[in-house]
């Protein structure tokens, strides 16, 4: 059976790769569980001094696998809440890493995959990257997405991206601060590893305490976003609209 999350060690740097390239690394509950496990192992490992997040093939992560969420029963509020809890645990695991975390961003980065990329301390991409928050196009309210973008983009640009479902290209993403730096496509992973290693060479206590303070600045906002997401997603799934729109997408129909 193919591993959907791969762990590679490049000396003191752990590289975690989402590995469903045929699905643009759209993830499932099982993938997130495995990713959380590997992230926690990397954080505990004294020989690991930095973490790089990336995706196999032509995408970093296209977000949620819609085949999984399209099956949620409109009346099953517990399932909708459990789905949000899934992401809350993943997001907190990434944020709580004491070690520098760099996203090697390749190809498509969308939805919850986009939010996941924004959790990294830094993001290195290439000129072919497209990224954004197209969830409303699938009938899914963008709630944690608002939280993930707000600190980088502010109200005006966050509003534009969550309501239009527009993906931005790499040049715009860098200008907005969504990407830290652009390099040629074949250099993205090496550049991310080198960046993680450069931060890891700094005094680790100072790095960890600085990261902790950065996390504190918006931790309450994340907690509020998760509470809101549970209520709003339950309301949305109860209408059946997300299920209908996801079924439309999966059938190949376009609006």
């Amino acid at each position: 059976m193919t591993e959907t999350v791969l762990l590679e060690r490049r000396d003191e740097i752990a590289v975690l790769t989402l590995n469903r390239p045929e699905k643009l690394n759209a993830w499932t509950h099982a993938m997130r569980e495995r990713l959380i496990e590997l992230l926690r192992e990397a954080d505990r490992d004294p020989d690991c001094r930095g973490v790089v997040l990336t995706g196999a093939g032509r995408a970093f992560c296209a977000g949620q696998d819609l085949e999984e969420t399209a099956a949620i029963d409109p009346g099953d509020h517990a399932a909708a809440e459990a789905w949000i809890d899934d992401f809350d645990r993943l997001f907190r695991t990434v944020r709580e890493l004491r070690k520098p975390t760099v996203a090697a961003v390749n190809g498509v980065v969308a939805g919850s995959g986009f939010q996941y990329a924004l959790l990294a301390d830094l993001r290195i991409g290439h000129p072919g990257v497209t990224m954004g928050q197209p969830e409303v196009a699938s009938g899914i309210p963008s709630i944690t997405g608002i939280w993930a973008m707000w600190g980088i983009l502010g109200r005006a640009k966050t509003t534009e991206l969550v309501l239009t479902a527009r993906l931005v290209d790499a040049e715009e993403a860098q200008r907005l601060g969504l990407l830290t730096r652009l390099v040629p496509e074949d250099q993205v992973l090496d550049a991310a590893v080198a960046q993680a290693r450069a931060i890891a060479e700094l005094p680790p206590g100072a790095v960890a305490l600085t990261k902790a303070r950065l996390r504190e600045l918006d931790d309450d906002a994340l907690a509020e976003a998760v509470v809101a997401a549970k209520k709003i997603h339950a309301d949305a799934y109860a209408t059946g609209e997300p299920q209908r729109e996801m079924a439309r997408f999966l059938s190949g129909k376009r609006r």
Side-chain angles (χ1 to χ4, degrees):
M1 182 176 178
T2 302
E3 288 284 345
T4 56
V5 184
L6 304 177
L7 170 63
E8 174 193 357
R9 286 295 293 268
R10 294 201 177 188
D11 299 322
E12 74 276 29
I13 305 301
V15 178
L16 292 174
T17 304
L18 301 180
N19 188 40
R20 290 182 82 205
E22 74 285 358
K23 295 285 189 178
L24 299 182
N25 299 315
W27 49 19
T28 62
H29 167 75
M31 284 177 72
R32 291 189 293 274
E33 288 294 302
R34 180 58 176 155
L35 183 56
I36 288 169
E37 181 182 355
L38 291 174
L39 285 165
R40 289 175 175 168
E41 287 179 6
D43 203 38
R44 290 191 299 264
D45 184 352
D47 295 325
C48 174
R49 298 197 59 198
V51 176
V52 168
L53 310 173
T54 194
R58 59 191 181 93
F60 179 84
C61 177
Q64 173 64 40
D65 185 331
L66 297 183
E67 291 183 358
E68 184 176 70
T69 45
I72 294 179
D73 187 286
D76 191 350
H77 289 199
E81 289 197 3
W83 184 56
I84 298 300
D85 280 333
D86 229 25
F87 285 105
D88 184 30
R89 291 192 312 108
L90 173 61
F91 288 4
R92 289 187 182 281
T93 300
V94 177
R95 282 164 57 80
E96 290 168 5
L97 289 171
R98 294 164 295 176
K99 299 162 185 183
T101 308
V102 180
V105 180
N106 51 306
V108 178
V109 195
S112 55
F114 175 52
Q115 297 169 43
Y116 168 65
L118 296 185
L119 298 175
D121 300 320
L122 301 173
R123 292 160 296 281
I124 296 177
H126 61 84
V129 166
T130 55
M131 59 197 317
Q133 197 65 35
E135 292 178 319
V136 293
S138 297
I140 302 172
S142 183
I143 309 305
T144 55
I146 292 174
W147 165 81
M149 288 189 285
W150 195 273
I152 299 173
L153 300 179
R155 183 186 183 98
K157 207 67 183 179
T158 297
T159 300
E160 176 193 342
L161 294 187
V162 296
L163 291 184
T164 65
R166 181 174 74 86
L167 299 182
V168 301
D169 62 22
E171 182 180 345
E172 183 177 4
Q174 183 183 28
R175 187 170 68 249
L176 292 172
L178 299 170
L179 290 175
T180 308
R181 181 156 51 99
L182 295 178
V183 299
E185 185 172 359
D186 62 355
Q187 297 176 25
V188 170
L189 183 56
D190 287 344
V193 170
Q195 180 67 80
R197 185 173 288 126
I199 300 174
E201 290 172 353
L202 299 172
V207 170
L209 289 170
T210 300
K211 280 173 58 79
R213 177 54 185 155
L214 288 168
R215 183 173 69 248
E216 286 175 354
L217 293 174
D218 64 353
D219 227 13
D220 289 345
L222 173 57
E224 291 172 4
V226 168
V227 170
K230 286 183 178 182
K231 179 184 183 304
I232 294 167
H233 280 276
D235 290 346
Y237 275 90
T239 69
E241 181 179 78
Q243 295 91 327
R244 290 193 300 272
E245 292 300 325
M246 285 185 277
R248 181 198 302 272
F249 177 85
L250 291 169
S251 70
K253 296 178 181 177
R254 297 290 184 269
R255 282 188 167 277

